[in-house]
Amino acid sequence: MNLKDLKIQIMGSGAIGSLFGGLIQLSGFDVHFVARRKRLEVLKKGLRIRGLIEADLDVDVSEKPENADITIVAVKAYDTENAAELLSKVDCGVVLTIQNGLGNVERLSRKLKRVIGGVTTYGANIKDDIVFYAGEGVTFVGNDGYISEDALLVERVLKESGFNCYAVDNISERIWRKAIVNAVINPITAILKVENGRVLDEGLWSIAKLVIEEGKQVMERLGINVDGLEEAVREVAVKTARNRSSMLQDIMAGRRTEIDYINGEIVRLSDEMGISACANLLLTNLVKAMEEK
Ligand SMILES: NC(=O)C1=CN([C@@H]2O[C@H](COP(=O)(O)OP(=O)(O)OC[C@H]3O[C@@H](n4cnc5c(N)ncnc54)[C@H](O)[C@@H]3O)[C@@H](O)[C@H]2O)C=CC1
Ligand SMILES: CC(C)(CO)C(=O)C(=O)O
């Protein structure tokens, strides 16, 4: 089968899903977008992308998923189980999650076959129904311990679509490392309503180190490499110093955050392991209190 004969599906056509689907469609693939509520009505009129590129596309969109060769899951972490249930009703092919947070691969794998993990640093947000392509990044896709044919296929499709994409054999380590970055930057910036760079302030960085240390303990119990973790967090804080984190944006917009699947998941796993995670627990409960406001 020719690569371009593959049907690609986007499960959750919000900011990052629409960006991925739009770029994949622009490169000539057949893409089906799954959306709901207002986003469904918007996409029925077309997908508009601005920022690093300008594109206006007519797209094939529906509320329910369809059969596909590759399905990219781009719902928020708290919608993963529901998305998995809907996808289990069709032949969704290879399932790639590009979500943030912990446990998405596991939750998808309970209902779906051929699930591969993914982590992306591409950036997009939606304003006035337009997808703003904010930043180019890198996307890693794969499994643990080996590089699967499915991961290589997804890598080919994303590279063909212009993405910096690499199939890897240590995707859990990469998902966890991003999760620790998010566990530090997202709640602190959301609570203080500050840009990412502020976490480097002396007092806040002392909190960051507690969060990282607690995350490290869980990762080590899971056999995941922790080398260079503090440096990785610091590097992202420097590189995205003027950004407003996604969690701050969610809080400012009155939206639910993914705290339960970032710091909250570290707390849950720590409890299971009998180790304390006080800093992560404090940040989790503070953000949840803000959500309930
Ligand atoms: N926006 C970004 O730049 C990046 C986002 N991520 C992660 O990707 C995930 C998605 O993030 P965003 O695109 O920003 O969120 P979003 O809220 O813009 O998009 C998620 C979309 O999924 C839809 N959805 C959820 N359940 C659905 C269902 N059952 N049927 C149809 N549509 C459904 C929602 O209605 C929403 O439109 C999150 O885990 C986020 O942390 C990761 C890297 C970058
Ligand atoms: C890396 C970081 C913190 C960039 O803002 C991010 O992924 C987010 O905001 O969710």
Side-chain angles (χ1 to χ4, degrees), residues 85-261:
E85 176 61 28
L86 292 169
L87 288 172
S88 70
K89 310 296 186 204
V90 297
D91 176 1
C92 53
V94 178
V95 178
L96 167 71
T97 158
I98 56 171
Q99 302 161 283
N100 279 332
L102 297 164
N104 291 304
V105 172
E106 294 78 358
R107 283 191 293 277
L108 290 166
S109 299
R110 286 189 203 120
K111 291 191 182 284
L112 305 171
K113 302 183 181 67
R114 302 178 71 187
V115 177
I116 60 174
V119 59
T120 188
T121 60
Y122 278 78
N125 52 71
I126 295 178
K127 191 172 180 329
D128 303 328
D129 297 333
I130 297 172
V131 175
F132 185 74
Y133 180 4
E136 187 181 6
V138 62
T139 299
F140 297 103
V141 301
N143 308 82
D144 293 317
Y146 67 103
I147 294 186
S148 65
E149 289 304 315
D150 285 345
L152 291 170
L153 178 67
V154 169
E155 179 193 57
R156 282 180 63 205
V157 169
L158 291 181
K159 278 187 166 167
E160 180 67 23
S161 304
F163 286 94
N164 303 312
C165 179
Y166 304 94
V168 297
D169 62 1
N170 64 344
I171 199 61
S172 289
E173 177 182 337
R174 294 170 187 276
I175 289 172
W176 264 93
R177 294 175 84 84
K178 176 131 190 232
I180 297 298
V181 167
N182 290 136
V184 167
I185 295 176
N186 293 29
I188 292 174
T189 56
I191 292 163
L192 294 176
K193 295 192 174 47
V194 297
E195 295 175 341
N196 291 359
R198 287 290 308 280
V199 303
L200 298 165
D201 294 1
E202 192 180 346
L204 295 177
W205 191 248
S206 66
I207 297 170
K209 286 195 285 189
L210 293 174
V211 171
I212 295 166
E213 196 48 43
E214 292 171 3
K216 266 185 178 176
Q217 288 184 48
V218 176
M219 290 171 73
E220 284 168 336
R221 295 283 185 98
L222 296 173
I224 296 173
N225 174 37
V226 299
D227 294 346
L229 203 48
E230 184 174 327
E231 294 73 17
V233 177
R234 180 181 288 276
E235 183 187 344
V236 172
V238 169
K239 277 186 179 171
T240 66
R242 301 305 306 273
N243 281 25
R244 281 184 169 184
S245 74
S246 59
M247 195 170 285
L248 173 53
Q249 293 178 46
D250 286 340
I251 288 290
M252 302 285 279
R255 294 188 297 258
R256 182 180 175 188
T257 73
E258 295 180 293
I259 191 73
D260 286 326
Y261 299 90

Side-chain angles (χ1 to χ4, degrees), residues 10-20 33-40 43 62-65 73-80 82-84 86 97-101 104 119-126 132 134-135 178 182 186 246 249-250 255 258 262:
I10 306 295
M11 183 68 203
S13 306
I16 201 70
S18 294
L19 175 67
F20 269 65
F33 294 77
V34 183
R36 66 182 179 185
R37 302 169 189 161
K38 178 169 181 274
R39 191 72 191 140
L40 175 64
L43 288 176
S62 69
E63 192 164 17
K64 291 274 182 281
V73 176
V75 303
K76 288 287 182 77
Y78 47 73
D79 284 325
T80 301
N82 174 253
L86 292 169
T97 158
I98 56 171
Q99 302 161 283
N100 279 332
N104 291 304
V119 59
T120 188
T121 60
Y122 278 78
N125 52 71
I126 295 178
F132 185 74
K178 176 131 190 232
N182 290 136
N186 293 29
S246 59
Q249 293 178 46
D250 286 340
R255 294 188 297 258
E258 295 180 293
I262 301 172

